[in-house]
Amino acid sequence: MSKATVKKLHWRSKVQESFVPLGGGSGELGLAIGGGADYGEFPFVTAAHGGGATVADIILEIGGTPVLGMTLGDVRGVLNSCPHPIRIKTVSPGSSLCKDLRLYLSKCFTPGSTDSQLQQLIRENLYLRAVPCTTRQPRDGEISGVDYNFVSIEEFFSLEESGALLESGKFKGNYYGTPRPVHIGPESPPITYQEHRNLLRNFRTRSKSLSNLEKAVEEGDNSEEDSGLSAGSAGFPPSIVPLSQSWESAVGSREGLENGIGVGRGRGRGRGRGGGGSGKWSAA
């Protein structure tokens, strides 16, 4: 299959851009959202009054801010606080990019491709509300529940089997997992548009909008001829899948930085845990 054909079939060639209408004289937004990372899904349109977006389409960006990997409450918070007119980017779910967040994260894509970079962006949004878990022993200065949730191998397998992990795998003899974020309660208000924009500036990869990701891929001439197969389909047990190359790189960068390599350590991962994004994720 030629590169031109592959690009034509890729989901990024089908991205739609529209504006969110206001609901008549009430001032309410004519867009309803479902899904969210706390449900193991990408955010998607459940109702679109006055045209524009299509029901069931996946929401990629709101006002230039990427929202894949955010909880439903946070996506709604970004939408409701976004300056008008609100521009959104959506795409119809397909075989590669569907509503299933866990399935998309388990796929292996060419390093540097749009999908590989998007996986990283999704993980960064996930860590606004979730703390990764690992079976390795804590290092000096690490705090359980802040740096990682340190668990036993038995506890890790229990989390994986219960469906609590969106992503899991083994790196240098230790298991790592990305947990599904919890639902936002009244004591933890949703992230606003401006707050999220401020958090974006702390992450190099997440500062890129979808348009910039596409431009970077085109300039680098990276092929999108990825198999898109999940690791489980390649003969690995479906319960614990090996880390995809992009996540293995992220874990490696994180582990290296925590050992004192590169930028200094920072603990905050979103709101309620010290504010903005951690500098150690910039290398991802």
Side-chain angles (χ1 to χ4, degrees):
M1 188 180 296
S2 67
K3 286 187 178 181
T5 303
V6 171
K7 287 184 177 180
K8 185 177 180 181
L9 295 175
H10 193 263
W11 61 262
R12 67 188 176 97
S13 67
K14 303 177 177 65
V15 173
Q16 301 293 320
E17 187 171 345
S18 60
F19 288 92
V20 178
L22 293 175
S26 63
E28 295 182 358
L29 297 176
L31 181 73
I33 302 173
D38 40 341
Y39 294 95
E41 296 179 319
F42 289 132
F44 58 88
V45 179
T46 57
H49 308 290
T54 303
V55 173
D57 275 5
I58 296 170
I59 302 173
L60 304 171
E61 289 184 6
I62 297 176
T65 287
V67 295
L68 297 182
M70 297 180 70
T71 64
L72 177 60
D74 283 335
V75 175
R76 288 174 173 169
V78 169
L79 175 67
N80 292 329
S81 59
C82 184
H84 294 269
I86 303 174
R87 176 174 51 86
I88 63 171
K89 285 188 177 182
T90 58
V91 66
S92 299
S95 58
S96 176
L97 187 65
C98 61
K99 294 178 183 177
D100 192 330
L101 176 55
R102 191 175 192 273
L103 177 61
Y104 184 74
L105 287 177
S106 72
K107 294 182 177 182
C108 297
F109 296 106
T110 304
S113 66
T114 300
D115 288 286
S116 176
Q117 294 187 60
L118 186 59
Q119 284 180 329
Q120 279 305 99
L121 188 150
I122 291 167
R123 293 179 187 113
E124 291 168 354
N125 272 337
L126 284 171
Y127 284 108
L128 293 174
R129 293 290 186 184
V131 179
C133 60
T134 180
T135 59
R136 74 161 173 79
Q137 293 298 309
R139 300 191 180 105
D140 291 341
E142 288 184 330
I143 301 174
S144 183
V146 177
D147 295 283
Y148 283 101
N149 282 319
F150 297 98
V151 298
S152 66
I153 294 179
E154 292 75 16
E155 289 172 326
F156 187 93
F157 275 93
S158 177
L159 288 170
E160 169 55 40
E161 291 171 1
S162 70
L165 301 181
L166 292 173
E167 191 173 26
S168 59
K170 199 172 185 179
F171 181 75
K172 292 187 176 181
N174 298 302
Y175 289 104
Y176 291 83
T178 302
R180 185 170 58 193
V182 297
H183 302 296
I184 298 174
E187 71 284 353
S188 182
I191 293 174
T192 66
Y193 174 81
Q194 192 56 53
E195 285 173 335
H196 194 239
R197 298 289 289 183
N198 292 338
L199 289 171
L200 298 186
R201 298 188 181 99
N202 294 314
F203 291 104
R204 184 179 63 184
T205 53
R206 209 172 342 112
S207 65
K208 296 180 180 178
S209 66
L210 180 67
S211 300
N212 289 334
L213 288 178
E214 293 172 349
K215 182 179 179 182
V217 170
E218 290 171 359
E219 289 176 347
D221 196 27
N222 288 304
S223 171
E224 294 295 339
E225 296 182 42
D226 302 354
S227 64
L229 295 175
S230 65
S233 65
F236 296 97
S239 58
I240 298 293
V241 300
L243 302 182
S244 67
Q245 288 177 301
S246 58
W247 198 44
E248 185 172 302
S249 174
V251 172
S253 298
R254 179 189 180 89
E255 294 292 286
L257 291 171
E258 289 185 345
N259 276 319
I261 303 172
V263 295
R265 297 178 72 242
R267 286 209 180 97
R269 278 191 209 92
R271 308 175 76 217
R273 284 186 295 276
S278 163
K280 58 192 168 188
W281 277 100
S282 63

